[in-house]
Amino acid sequence: MESKIQNFPLFSTLSSSVVSFLNERLHNQEDLATAPTLVSELQSQCLDLDQALLDLNSRLELSLLAYASFSDRIHGLFSDASSKLTDLGSLTRAPTSLSDGGGGGEGEGRKGQLFREELPALAKEVARVETVRAYAETALKLDTLVGDIEDTVSSAMNKNMRKLSSTQSSEEMRLLAIETLDQMEDVLTSITKTRPQWTRLVSAVDHRIDRALAILRPQAVADHRSLLASLGWPPPLSTMTSANLDTGKSAEVTNPLFTMEGDLKHQYCENFLALCRLQALQRRRKSRQLEGHNREVALHQPLWAIEELVNPISIACQRHFSKWTDKLEFIFALVYKITRDYVDTMDELLQPLVDEARLVGYSCREEWISAMVTSLSTYLAKEIFPVYVSQLNEESTAGMQSQARISWLQLVDLIIAFDKRIQSLVTHSEIMFSLEEDGNLRKISSLSVFCDRPDWLDLWAEIELSDTVEKIKTEMEVERNWTVKIQGAALVSDPEKYRSPAVSSAFLRRLSMVVDRCRSLPTTSLRSRFLRLAGAPVLQRFLDCVLLRCQEAEGLTALTDDDALIKVANSINAAHYIESVLKEWSEDIFFLEMRLDHGDQLGMSIHDDEGREAPVDGPVSVIFYEEVGKLEEFRKEWVEKISVVVLRGFDARCRDYLKNRRQWQDNGEEGWTVSRNLVGALDYLQGKMAVVEENLNGIDFVGVWRSLAAGVDRLLFNCILMSNVKFHDCGVERFNHDLEVLFGVFGAWCLRPEGFFPKLSDGLKLLNMEEEKLKLQGSLMGGEQWMKAIGIRHLSSSESEKIMNSRVFMG
């Protein structure tokens, strides 16, 4: 030891850095005891540095050899090109013509051959040489950059393992590696755009970078996790007891991210920034590698640094979740409270770091909320839903399905309520975030569990359908709901316009609840699938109910009784009101999005049961297109039946009037301006139509009286004007009075009732023509021209001729 001390160099020969180092490590006499340890550490570091220097010299030697090889090759190519250029110069300096004889022609031919053949070949060779030179320089540059990256990653890894340097130095080396990777990516992007044929070079470099990243990212993540642990993350959840969650209160928990300070805060921010830059680099690489493909799907990944915050919280929460299997509301309350308590931290502390890392398209608030919701959805999918499905299967086997179904619906209610509260955290923030986009909504919706398990969605739709049908059935069985009209406006359409019974309002309220629950689903395809399974069958059940009621009324009295007519009218009113509301729903953006969604999850084509294609741009939503069409067909069918029943009764009561052929030749009945046999039939018609008008909605009543008018027109025309009777003057006058009374009955519903009796009006016009005019017109013009001239447009030539022949003029 003494010999070593005696050989110690003089103080004046030591450099300032060495003196400074010794002053830091050796302050007093006691520090001399640590000198052997210090010497061994310095020797170890010197050995490492010597070895690193040897490795660098070896790599430099290999690089120089490779460069020398490329240089020799390029020198040979340039020498060849130079000799050819020299030959070209000698040829171009040759005289353009010779003083003697035919030598000029040979020179000109040689020069033409040069420009036609040798110059293009020479240019191609020069271009090839330039390409080889560029390839060599690029390959050498890439090899140098990759070597620097590998050395930096290896050094950072060794320092991390030996713990011989501070964390700050490790972070600096990691950031240096990321900067070099960015430079490398710039070169590769340029090659991809300008030299797409160099795919093997790019692939070889990507392979080496992947190996470096496979070391760099796990190391950065491990450092981040250790920093979080030193900060006290995750925060304690023990204060969030079930009692506190039940009352909505809990003790305040200190936020470790806000309380950190000094070097620890600096280290965490640097590590967070490095992780974000590493992810930004990875996005750049993926964007380049997926050029020409659907990049957005593969590029957007959760923010790695936020995932590292959420994962330990998720693990800590699950220890509490296991205790609350019978109190699921506590699970949702805990997740919501944690999400809400730390969401502001994301905006104030971490978002500036993400922006500094130039990680475009990421919001820390959104990523935090999304990660928390995803952790809850994962727990529900693994631990909760399988248990509920098992309970449903067991109860189905035992024939008891009530309790499991109730539990399932309660769970869905909790999820929907939780999702609405979570969405409020997003919509009430200042960030620009569209919840209408399926991808964004899926990230913050716990119902996204159904995206990966459509069989669970089908099961939910089945339970929802069963529950809705049971409630609707109870309300439909109350007869009073079919007679009492809705008071005031409800939902969208005005029920007073349709005179809708209360049962239609109750039905639409239940259907609206199904639609509202469907709105919470995160994707349009899931909403469409759910409504097809749970909404459309509810409409079919209602259609079956009103059809059965109408058939029962028809079967009992053939609709001759006023009560039966009222029963059918109420059913028509209910169907028409629901049809109108569904058409108005179809104009809502919620249903319009489904119309544009071509991903039919059920494998159904958008066609009705008669093979007609649904009008995608029409007024009806594709979702309920078939059901709305069936409601419309039902309404038209039973409106027509009402008019047929009234017409049949009218026909039966005016049978004597129709059979009395002599009345058109007599002077009429004294004191009667209208035929007595027609009065009873008109009274019946007016009485029945009064009942129908009072109970049927105005739109469908128009269809009833118009159809009835057309039927009466055909009946009287065929049974009177086409029955070969003879009309005298007094008969024509009586027929005029009869039709005036008939038109007067229908005049209560329109201004020109004769327009709805076209054949009778045209026939009466022919009967009222004077004999001379009739003969004159018939002799001047015949057939259709003559009929058009006198305004007969609804009769054929044969029908007109037959009516004219029935007219008898008494001379």
Side-chain angles (χ1 to χ4, degrees):
M1 187 67 178
E2 293 179 357
S3 61
K4 292 182 181 179
I5 293 176
Q6 291 175 357
N7 295 331
F8 198 81
L10 297 176
F11 179 80
S12 59
T13 61
L14 297 177
S15 64
S16 58
S17 59
V18 174
V19 173
S20 176
F21 175 77
L22 292 175
N23 288 335
E24 289 179 1
R25 301 299 294 267
L26 302 174
H27 294 286
N28 47 44
Q29 189 70 24
E30 288 77 8
D31 292 338
L32 291 176
T34 63
T37 304
L38 178 61
V39 171
S40 62
E41 290 179 359
L42 292 175
Q43 289 177 346
S44 177
Q45 290 184 13
C46 289
L47 290 175
D48 291 340
L49 291 174
D50 290 340
Q51 184 61 42
L53 182 60
L54 290 175
D55 294 340
L56 289 175
N57 287 332
S58 177
R59 292 179 59 84
L60 179 61
E61 183 179 357
L62 293 175
S63 299
L64 290 175
L65 289 175
Y67 180 76
S69 176
F70 283 121
S71 179
D72 292 341
R73 184 179 176 186
I74 292 171
H75 178 72
L77 293 173
F78 273 112
S79 298
D80 186 28
S82 178
S83 63
K84 290 184 178 181
L85 288 173
T86 302
D87 295 341
L88 176 62
S90 63
L91 289 173
T92 56
R93 289 192 299 270
T96 56
S97 61
L98 297 177
S99 56
D100 297 329
E106 183 180 352
E108 292 293 334
R110 174 61 179 160
K111 186 182 296 184
Q113 181 182 5
L114 171 68
F115 283 101
R116 287 193 308 271
E117 299 178 2
E118 296 188 14
L119 272 181
L122 180 61
K124 185 176 180 181
E125 183 66 18
V126 171
R128 188 180 70 83
V129 171
E130 176 62 22
T131 301
V132 172
R133 183 190 63 79
Y135 185 89
E137 292 180 352
T138 304
L140 184 60
K141 182 178 181 180
L142 289 174
D143 184 70
T144 303
L145 289 174
V146 173
D148 293 342
I149 293 170
E150 291 174 343
D151 290 341
T152 306
V153 170
S154 177
S155 299
M157 190 68 181
N158 292 334
K159 288 179 179 294
N160 194 290
M161 291 177 62
R162 292 194 303 266
K163 303 295 182 182
L164 294 177
S165 61
S166 64
T167 307
Q168 183 178 3
S169 299
S170 179
E171 290 298 334
E172 289 177 352
M173 297 186 71
R174 185 180 296 119
L175 289 175
L176 178 61
I178 294 173
E179 291 176 0
T180 309
L181 283 167
D182 279 330
Q183 297 176 13
M184 173 72 73
E185 190 60 34
D186 292 338
V187 176
L188 293 178
T189 302
S190 175
I191 293 174
T192 303
K193 293 179 179 179
T194 60
R195 306 282 188 176
Q197 68 274 19
W198 293 357
T199 55
R200 292 186 178 181
L201 176 61
V202 174
S203 177
V205 174
D206 275 338
H207 179 67
R208 293 178 65 179
I209 293 177
D210 286 337
R211 289 188 300 177
L213 288 175
I215 300 173
L216 193 61
R217 180 186 171 185
Q219 178 190 343
V221 170
D223 290 346
H224 193 78
R225 290 174 180 174
S226 63
L227 276 173
L228 286 175
S230 63
L231 290 172
W233 190 271
L237 306 179
S238 57
T239 57
M240 303 178 186
T241 62
S242 59
N244 290 332
L245 290 173
D246 199 15
T247 59
K249 300 179 181 179
S250 62
E252 291 295 331
V253 179
T254 304
N255 187 344
L257 298 180
F258 270 153
T259 57
M260 62 180 180
E261 57 185 9
D263 292 340
L264 193 60
K265 181 177 181 179
H266 178 74
Q267 292 172 15
Y268 176 77
C269 292
E270 287 294 322
N271 189 271
F272 187 96
L273 185 62
L275 208 55
C276 291
R277 286 179 175 173
L278 199 58
Q279 187 166 3
L281 171 68
Q282 189 72 2
R283 279 171 56 86
R284 286 189 63 195
R285 299 187 69 239
K286 288 294 182 183
S287 178
R288 170 178 56 80
Q289 294 169 353
L290 296 175
E291 185 71 34
H293 301 278
N294 188 4
R295 296 186 294 176
E296 292 302 321
V297 176
L299 286 181
H300 192 88
Q301 296 180 345
L303 201 58
W304 297 344
I306 299 299
E307 279 190 325
E308 295 306 318
L309 288 173
V310 173
N311 289 338
I313 286 184
S314 178
I315 295 172
C317 285
Q318 290 183 20
R319 291 195 291 269
H320 293 271
F321 293 169
S322 60
K323 305 173 185 178
W324 296 336
T325 54
D326 296 331
K327 291 287 186 178
L328 297 181
E329 60 271 20
F330 292 160
I331 294 177
F332 293 97
L334 178 60
V335 175
Y336 174 75
K337 184 185 185 309
I338 296 173
T339 306
R340 181 199 60 197
D341 289 349
Y342 296 97
V343 71
D344 292 335
T345 307
M346 306 300 143
D347 290 338
E348 299 173 14
L349 179 65
L350 302 184
Q351 186 63 45
L353 298 177
V354 174
D355 297 339
E356 184 180 349
R358 292 181 296 179
L359 201 50
V360 181
Y362 279 93
S363 163
C364 284
R365 171 184 285 261
E366 174 189 333
E367 293 298 323
W368 166 258
I369 295 174
S370 173
M372 289 298 297
V373 172
T374 301
S375 67
L376 176 61
S377 300
T378 303
Y379 181 79
L380 292 175
K382 290 183 177 180
E383 303 296 337
I384 303 300
F385 272 101
V387 175
Y388 278 57
V389 172
S390 177
Q391 291 176 356
L392 284 170
N393 293 334
E394 291 176 1
E395 291 193 0
S396 177
T397 305
M400 299 172 57
Q401 302 181 5
S402 58
Q403 187 56 45
R405 289 173 178 264
I406 292 173
S407 300
W408 182 285
L409 293 177
Q410 289 175 346
L411 172 60
V412 172
D413 288 338
L414 289 172
I415 295 176
I416 293 175
F418 172 79
D419 285 350
K420 289 181 178 178
R421 298 178 72 188
I422 285 294
Q423 290 172 17
S424 68
L425 293 179
V426 178
T427 55
H428 292 166
S429 66
E430 297 179 356
I431 62 174
M432 299 299 294
F433 184 68
S434 175
L435 294 180
E436 300 300 327
E437 299 178 7
D438 284 353
N440 290 335
L441 186 56
R442 178 173 178 175
K443 290 174 9 181
I444 61 169
S445 174
S446 301
L447 289 175
S448 58
V449 66
F450 293 113
C451 296
D452 299 324
R453 292 302 300 266
D455 55 324
W456 289 353
L457 180 73
D458 297 350
L459 187 57
W460 174 27
E462 178 187 346
I463 296 172
E464 198 75 43
L465 173 62
S466 176
D467 181 69
T468 304
V469 168
E470 189 65 28
K471 293 175 180 177
I472 290 175
K473 181 180 179 182
T474 303
E475 294 174 338
M476 286 183 176
E477 290 175 351
V478 179
E479 190 63 30
R480 186 172 180 275
N481 290 339
W482 291 94
T483 56
V484 177
K485 301 295 189 294
I486 303 175
Q487 299 299 324
L491 294 177
V492 185
S493 296
D494 183 5
E496 294 180 354
K497 177 181 177 182
Y498 298 97
R499 298 182 181 179
S500 179
V503 69
S504 58
S505 177
F507 171 81
L508 284 172
R509 185 171 61 254
R510 297 296 179 185
L511 181 61
S512 180
M513 292 174 64
V514 174
V515 174
D516 287 341
R517 290 166 74 81
C518 160
R519 291 177 188 272
S520 300
L521 287 167
T523 65
T524 303
S525 58
L526 286 182
R527 297 173 211 142
S528 175
R529 184 185 186 97
F530 184 84
L531 282 185
R532 289 180 185 275
L533 293 173
V538 173
L539 283 169
Q540 185 60 48
R541 299 294 177 89
F542 176 81
L543 182 62
D544 294 340
C545 179
V546 293
L547 181 60
L548 179 62
R549 289 179 62 84
C550 291
Q551 289 174 344
E552 289 175 350
E554 183 184 31
L556 290 175
T557 64
L559 300 184
T560 57
D561 184 66
D562 288 349
D563 290 338
L565 276 178
I566 294 172
K567 190 173 184 179
V568 172
N570 286 332
S571 298
I572 294 174
N573 292 343
H576 202 164
Y577 178 54
I578 291 173
E579 175 191 337
S580 66
V581 171
L582 292 178
K583 288 181 178 180
E584 291 182 7
W585 281 3
S586 69
E587 298 175 359
D588 187 84
I589 186 64
F590 176 73
F591 289 94
L592 292 175
E593 287 178 348
M594 295 185 193
R595 180 185 302 176
L596 299 176
D597 180 46
H598 300 289
D600 189 4
Q601 298 294 327
L602 292 176
M604 301 177 182
S605 60
I606 305 176
H607 291 75
D608 63 9
D609 52 358
E610 295 181 2
R612 301 189 302 266
E613 185 176 355
V616 176
D617 297 326
V620 182
S621 169
V622 169
I623 295 298
F624 296 135
Y625 173 73
E626 293 184 12
E627 289 69 26
V628 170
K630 290 178 181 178
L631 287 171
E632 188 174 1
E633 290 175 3
F634 160 81
R635 180 171 52 82
K636 291 179 179 179
E637 176 185 353
W638 286 93
V639 163
E640 183 65 25
K641 283 191 177 184
I642 290 176
S643 64
V644 169
V645 167
V646 177
L647 179 62
R648 190 183 299 124
F650 174 81
D651 183 16
R653 284 162 179 78
C654 69
R655 185 53 51 189
D656 293 339
Y657 172 77
L658 298 175
K659 290 181 178 180
N660 188 357
R661 302 166 63 90
R662 294 185 57 82
Q663 63 182 331
W664 312 117
Q665 303 171 20
D666 298 338
N667 290 326
E669 303 170 354
E670 186 177 353
W672 290 84
T673 57
V674 62
S675 300
R676 188 188 311 178
N677 292 333
L678 182 62
V679 172
L682 292 177
D683 181 65
Y684 165 82
L685 186 149
Q686 196 169 23
K688 285 295 182 183
M689 291 303 291
V691 173
V692 176
E693 184 180 15
E694 182 180 357
N695 292 277
L696 190 62
N697 68 84
I699 299 175
D700 289 320
F701 178 72
V702 171
V704 171
W705 73 256
R706 286 187 175 184
S707 177
L708 181 61
V712 172
D713 183 55
R714 289 192 302 269
L715 175 67
L716 298 184
F717 180 79
N718 292 327
C719 294
I720 296 177
L721 296 180
M722 293 289 103
S723 61
N724 296 319
V725 300
K726 298 299 181 180
F727 281 92
H728 291 207
D729 292 342
C730 57
V732 172
E733 184 178 359
R734 172 182 288 190
F735 194 57
N736 270 309
H737 290 314
D738 290 348
L739 291 187
E740 284 179 4
V741 176
L742 174 64
F743 294 162
V745 172
F746 286 86
W749 310 310
C750 60
L751 294 177
R752 292 186 65 257
E754 59 273 12
F756 295 93
F757 297 85
K759 288 185 174 292
L760 286 177
S761 297
D762 284 357
L764 188 62
K765 189 181 295 184
L766 287 174
L767 291 177
N768 286 324
M769 289 184 66
E770 298 177 358
E771 181 179 9
E772 292 79 7
K773 185 176 180 181
L774 194 64
K775 291 181 179 179
L776 179 62
Q777 295 291 346
S779 62
L780 293 177
M781 292 180 288
E784 294 182 359
Q785 287 184 338
W786 173 74
M787 291 168 58
K788 290 180 180 179
I790 61 175
I792 305 300
R793 302 183 182 280
H794 302 93
L795 300 178
S796 64
S797 300
S798 59
E799 290 172 340
S800 300
E801 183 179 359
K802 192 171 186 178
I803 293 173
M804 287 189 295
N805 291 335
S806 68
R807 183 71 169 90
V808 177
F809 295 96
M810 302 301 294

